[in-house]
Amino acid sequence: MVNFNSLRNLHFLFKKKRNQPYLDSEAKYRDIVEHSLTGVYIIQDDSFRYVNKKFCEIFGYSYEEIVDKMSPVSLAFESDKNIVKENIRKRISKESKSIEYEFRGVKKDGSIVWIRVLGNLMPYKGKPAISGMLIDFTDRKLVEEALYIGEERLRVTLEATKIGIWDWNVESDIWFASPIYYTMLGYEPVAEPSDRTVWFTRIHPDDREYVRAKINNVLAYKEDSYDYEARMLHANGSYRWHQVKGHIIDKDNQGKIKRIVGIRKDINDFKQVEEELRISKNRLRVLIDTLPDLVWLKDPQGVYLQCNQRFEQLYGAAEKEIVGKTDYNFVNKEFADFFRQKDNEAAVADKPSINEEELTFADGHKEIIETIKTPIYESDGTFIGVLGIGRDITQRKKAEQELIKNEALISTAVENLPIVFYLIDKSGIFNLSIGAGLKGLCLLPNQIVGQSVFDLYKDFPQTIEAINKALSGESAIFESNVNGVHYLSIVNPISMSDKQAGIVGVGLDITDRKKAESDLLKAKEKAEESDRLKSAFLANMSHEIRTPMNGILGFAGLLNEPKLSGEQQKKYIRIIEESGERMLNIINDIINISKIESGIIDIHLSETNINNQLQFVYDSLKLDAYHKKLKLSFRCELDEYESIIITDGEKFYGILSNLVKNAIKYTDKGTIEFGYAVKGEKMEFYVKDTGIGIPKEKIEVIFERFIQADIADKMARQGVGLGLAISKAYVEMLGGKIWVDSEESKGSTFFFTLPSNIDIDKKVKILAAVHPDTEEKTVIPENLGLKVLIAEDDKTSEMLISIELEKFSREILKVNTGTHAVETCHNNPDIDLVLMDIQMPGMNGYEATREIREFNKEVIIIAQTAFVLEGDKEKAIGAGCNNYISKPINPNILLSLVQSYFAK
Ligand code: ADP
């Protein structure tokens, strides 16, 4: 409001001047007026008679331009000219005492100024005039205008938002309300003041007391305003929620309330929404509180905004104590940092993140919690914070761990079992394959997982058949041989909730068992074969022994016939000799094989002339071949100087002569040829015949002892099936191999190899040594006149020896024990030669020799034993014998031995 106090005072000054003219001070007052901050003027006869400086300033004209020239109306804005005219008229006509009004003036530059005028009637120069003051309040007017526009807007807004306005004059209890006030409750608007009490009756009975108390609070000066929500009766009989606000806006000097102004607003919809919201909020609250999960919400800074009851248990604090705080208030920094980091991760990831945490609750118990942290946004996209939901998975974890432990245990067990354990799904795909048995298949655990059994085992019809059977719901057992590994497999259908889910299979490596089975079968066959062979062997043996025995006994008996001619005698004796030789052969073979088997055969390597050996074999067997009308020949590839190898000559002779003997034996017509060829480091010998040949299936086994290709046939051909076994053993001992090529009824070629292990230079030297220029000839002396002692318990042997030695001896003494031998030697120091049997009852030959040597070192002692065992010779020599001769005694060997000691 424009304050006119100063104006009034100024006016008083003018008045003073008029009533009591302080003429002396008039100039002074003029000066004041002249410099006043208010425009001052005097109007008379519709023209300005005086204006001060400020007046000129306000309108932009000079004193001269205004005074006596311009009328007040000329300074007014077109549409306000009347206001000015009228007011001046009223004042001049004394219709009004003083004038106070506003108008819009027009400045010299045409711009508009808001002018407030206070004018009074006064005489000037004897005539009525109006003196006044005016101020320019253009600035304020602009503000007021803006305010007015604001008020207008407010009115429109209130109407639009259906806000009713009321004005209550408390003193007079007059009460006005805006039209909306009525219409929003369905009543007709009333222009006159209403009865406030009517409105009170429209308040819902349940809310009345509450409303009354609210109002009374203000009336009792306890509050400056009231604000309540209550249900109001609508004209249609329903109740609607209204919000009412009232403010004291005027009090008298004593502070008594004069007016209360306020608004009323329909908030029914809002209330309803609020109610619904409250209900759903409550429900939600109940829901999250009933949840067995921990639920919490934190703002982006990690400050708790909300949590449920279960969460309260974690921190042992009520929600209101938790809200506003962070984890740092409840757990140690390490944990709080961890939670913070996880929250941030969820926020950054912009999607739920899951992790597991072991949490200690306020009461000390621990739980493994699986948390899901989800970033939460307002509908406008503002990030609210992170919602956490934590579920107790302790039991599940335990069960899982238990399961893992069990699984680990089971799979470790299966991994170590010599089986293959596998699962196949219903489309035939391997889901699992474990077990130590996989090694046999060259597979890693689960290597074939994802592959189809039908592809992998397409070449195993038995497997595929069994799998198909199992897939159709039946168990199946099958055997397979994969890379030489035998598997026995069982496949079983597995069903889950009554549906075929796949197959479980177990494969057992039965290779060893299979082998054992077949070994057993072979062994059985072999045992049966052996049994057969044994019987055959015994039959053969008995045949082999009986035949010569018959010959010997039979013809020996015949020799007793007194009328026997000399010719006949000779014939019988030859038969007896042949038979004896045949027997001796058998026995030699048996002894040799038993020596081989007991491993007591020694090898005596020496330079051996192969050509010579071949010649010997030929010489000794050519007669036999001749008798069977077979052509026997041999071929030497090397000349004599080169044909020397280091080997055991005796055994070489044994091998070769055995093969040639066999060739003669098993060939009925044709030729037999033997010889050798140099094959690199080896000499390859062969004996080729055109005989009966050997069936294919026997080719391998004829080298085993007692095996004969065809026993029935061989009975007729003599032999006990040891020759090849002995030959094979000898060949191998000498570092070679033996084999045969043969075709039945066409012939056979036996081969054997020996190392050719000597250089040429050496061979030449050796030959020079064994072939001196002069050949030595053995002269057999008539009689050496020896005194001989024969120590022998076997009468026959003793006789044979004495017959042979008679030719050389002057006297032969005979004893049959070792003790007697020693005694006899003692008593006859002139004995030249002792034939000492080793196997004598009581004191044996070795001991007897040792004792004789005690007193006679000169006498020649030759040991004789039935067992041609290696080492016997050494033993005999060790005991003091000069030499050794094996039984049965070969008279030639005996004679040459004797000669070697006594011939002059
Ligand atoms: P034996 O001749 O005493 O039966 P061997 O061990 O020497 O015993 O031979 C074993 C078997 O091998 C003979 O029984 C015979 O069936 C067969 N055999 C050996 N040599 C020949 C050959 N040259 N031709 C045909 N069969 C042979």
Side-chain angles (χ1 to χ4, degrees), residues 662 665-666 689 694 702 707-709 714 719-721 723-724 748:
N662 273 354
K665 189 155 79 174
Y666 297 108
D689 65 47
I694 305 158
I702 51 166
I707 299 275
Q708 293 172 315
K714 293 321 136 27
V720 286
L724 285 181
S748 315

Side-chain angles (χ1 to χ4, degrees), residues 596 601-606 608 610 613 645-656 681-683 685 726-738 752-757:
I596 289 166
I601 284 227
D602 278 341
I603 304 273
H604 298 282
L605 295 177
S606 61
T608 307
I610 301 299
Q613 293 287 336
I645 57 168
I646 293 180
T647 193
D648 186 319
E650 253 178 60
K651 293 196 173 70
F652 175 79
Y653 179 83
I655 299 160
L656 191 62
E681 296 285 284
K682 293 195 172 332
M683 302 277 253
F685 299 88
I726 293 166
S727 297
K728 181 171 189 266
Y730 282 176
V731 168
E732 284 169 3
M733 275 178 202
L734 296 177
K737 278 201 295 193
I738 187 166
F752 68 94
T753 57
L754 288 179
S756 59
N757 42 15

Side-chain angles (χ1 to χ4, degrees), residues 33-44:
V33 170
E34 202 52 41
H35 293 96
S36 165
L37 290 171
T38 314
V40 179
Y41 66 88
I42 297 170
I43 307 166
Q44 197 171 52

Side-chain angles (χ1 to χ4, degrees), residues 168 173 175 181-182 185 187 194-217 219 226 228-234 239 242 244 264:
W168 174 23
D173 203 13
W175 188 82
Y181 195 99
Y182 299 91
L185 274 171
Y187 305 108
S194 280
D195 187 351
R196 214 173 52 85
T197 52
V198 173
W199 280 96
F200 201 76
T201 59
R202 289 180 182 156
I203 298 173
H204 191 286
D206 289 356
D207 298 341
R208 275 179 208 159
E209 274 321 297
Y210 155 73
V211 171
R212 197 194 304 276
K214 280 275 185 181
I215 297 170
N216 285 346
N217 242 355
L219 294 179
Y226 59 81
Y228 66 82
E229 287 170 6
R231 283 157 289 181
M232 295 299 288
L233 186 64
H234 192 273
Y239 278 98
H242 275 205
V244 178
R264 167 177 294 272

